[in-house]
Amino acid sequence: NAGVTQTPKFQVLKTGQSMTLQCAQDMNHNSMYWYRQDPGMGLRLIYYSASEGTTDKGEVPNGYNVSRLNKREFSLRLESAAPSQTSVYFCASSGQGVGVRGYTFGSGTRLTVV
Amino acid sequence: TQLLEQSPQFLSIQEGENLTVYCNSSSVFSSLQWYRQEPGEGPVLLVTVVTGGEVKKLKRLTFQFGDARKDSSLHITAAQPGDTGLYLCAGMETGGFKTIFGAGTRLFVKA
């Protein structure tokens, strides 16, 4: 099925380790996003890419970096993981403008930092 | 900081009952979206409303955008166990690209 694919689904890291979360979409969407979801706090935007070749900070960018590799792929990197980064991470994409008509989300990566 | 407050936070009802969940803010939004999220999955878009006062229906679900575009409601008629999930509203700020998500209403429909 067409959509947004994220890998891995689950990951446990030790404090200080690094990792990259991968995301790919096959809907030819221009815009892609990384969100984190924590209990009682809703989804918070980490970084977004309005179009291929551009990236911008969202609400909670500290401790993260992103790469828009091409139109399909948008990765999120944690350089030195901290327990505060324990969360569920969602990649999303949108076609018409930046999220104007809604987002298509991946199924998430559940990350635990110990 | 813009906030979208959803109420109630939790709702447990019997199959066949009606319910309404609310999404409120002091900010004006250019559009508002509703999503349903099931455990272990990402949110799935149900509807986008754009015009103040707009009402959209999706089978047994009725969505309304407030006249001032600051609030929205979701009404479910004759709830089914398949309606169980986390319902999220998300408002897109006027003139910008930022979307604010509410924390969600967790609905459980008992058979």
Side-chain angles (χ1 to χ4, degrees):
Chain A
N1 290 338
V4 177
T5 303
Q6 290 183 237
T7 56
K9 283 192 72 71
F10 301 95
Q11 184 72 50
V12 178
L13 290 179
K14 293 182 179 179
T15 297
Q17 285 185 319
S18 62
M19 78 162 295
T20 299
L21 282 64
Q22 307 287 352
C23 175
Q25 54 92 10
D26 57 6
M27 296 170 287
N28 202 36
H29 283 170
N30 286 325
S31 303
M32 298 184 73
Y33 314 81
W34 278 104
Y35 283 91
R36 59 179 289 173
Q37 187 175 38
D38 300 292
M41 298 192 72
L43 287 154
R44 292 182 293 168
L45 182 64
I46 305 171
Y47 270 94
Y48 70 100
S49 171
S51 60
E52 186 179 357
T54 70
T55 61
D56 285 287
K57 295 179 180 180
E59 184 183 355
V60 288
N62 291 344
Y64 306 95
N65 284 300
V66 291
S67 295
R68 183 74 183 267
L69 304 170
N70 48 55
K71 191 171 186 179
R72 290 186 63 247
E73 298 173 288
F74 189 38
S75 63
L76 177 71
R77 183 160 178 84
L78 286 71
E79 290 291 350
S80 179
S84 61
Q85 294 178 304
T86 293
S87 188
V88 182
Y89 291 85
F90 288 100
C91 178
S93 67
S94 67
Q96 294 176 281
V98 181
V100 172
R101 288 291 178 178
Y103 303 92
T104 301
F105 284 88
S107 59
T109 296
R110 186 174 294 275
L111 175 66
T112 301
V113 183
V114 297
Chain B
T1 303
Q2 290 179 305
L3 287 176
L4 259 180
E5 296 190 357
Q6 290 191 241
S7 60
Q9 287 184 292
F10 302 99
L11 193 54
S12 180
I13 61 171
Q14 291 292 140
E15 181 177 4
E17 291 184 7
N18 301 333
L19 68 119
T20 303
V21 299
Y22 300 93
C23 177
N24 294 294
S25 176
S26 57
S27 302
V28 176
F29 296 108
S30 61
S31 67
L32 193 135
Q33 302 149 16
W34 284 93
Y35 295 82
R36 181 169 67 212
Q37 183 178 17
E38 299 189 15
E41 297 295 328
V44 175
L45 181 67
L46 296 173
V47 77
T48 299
V49 285
V50 179
T51 307
E54 183 176 1
V55 176
K56 281 192 174 180
K57 292 191 175 184
L58 185 65
K59 296 183 181 177
R60 294 175 293 99
L61 279 61
T62 302
F63 305 86
Q64 184 161 10
F65 201 11
D67 291 341
R69 291 186 288 132
K70 294 182 179 182
D71 54 83
S72 181
S73 63
L74 158 59
H75 181 80
I76 302 179
T77 303
Q80 308 277 320
D83 296 326
T84 292
L86 179 67
Y87 288 82
L88 298 165
C89 66
M92 186 161 195
E93 65 177 15
T94 305
F97 298 123
K98 190 175 179 184
T99 298
I100 309 294
F101 280 83
T105 292
R106 192 167 296 280
L107 172 66
F108 182 67
V109 182
K110 294 175 281 188

